[in-house]
Amino acid sequence: MSKEDLNIILSNIGAIVKRHRKERGLSQLNMGLDIDMSANQIGRIERAESNPTVETLHTIANYFGFDIIEFFKKQ
């Protein structure tokens, strides 16, 4: 996988997290408190500055009520 491909995937993941969080009217801090994650970590995921683990993606997907595979579908 090229660096460009990885950046696209991470950008898509970040956009999905941000969209779901905003749809629910949550701040990064409130979301982080709910799932035991720092607001900074959520911000880094949303800005595609972090490569989250599968465990982190699973936690976020469960929190929002969708399957982890949603992170990897073409947008």
Side-chain angles (χ1 to χ4, degrees), residues 12-13 18 31 33 37 40 49 53-55 57 63:
N12 288 341
I13 289 170
K18 187 173 186 175
M31 179 183 165
L33 290 171
M37 193 176 297
N40 287 336
E49 297 172 353
T53 66
V54 171
E55 182 179 4
L57 294 177
Y63 178 69

Side-chain angles (χ1 to χ4, degrees), residues 6-42:
L6 178 59
N7 287 338
I8 290 169
I9 291 169
L10 294 177
S11 292
N12 288 341
I13 289 170
I16 291 167
V17 172
K18 187 173 186 175
R19 183 181 76 239
H20 282 278
R21 180 179 61 77
K22 288 192 170 243
E23 284 175 355
R24 286 160 180 76
L26 296 167
S27 68
Q28 292 173 344
L29 177 61
N30 288 337
M31 179 183 165
L33 290 171
D34 287 346
I35 61 174
D36 196 28
M37 193 176 297
S38 74
N40 287 336
Q41 185 177 5
I42 293 168

Side-chain angles (χ1 to χ4, degrees), residues 49-62:
E49 297 172 353
S50 172
N51 188 349
T53 66
V54 171
E55 182 179 4
T56 296
L57 294 177
H58 183 264
T59 298
I60 293 170
N62 280 341

Side-chain angles (χ1 to χ4, degrees), residues 1 9-10 12-13 16 51-54 57 66-75:
M1 174 183 309
I9 291 169
L10 294 177
N12 288 341
I13 289 170
I16 291 167
N51 188 349
T53 66
V54 171
L57 294 177
F66 61 83
D67 193 277
I68 192 172
I69 196 70
E70 294 298 317
F71 286 122
F72 303 102
K73 288 184 177 178
K74 293 276 186 188
Q75 298 298 310

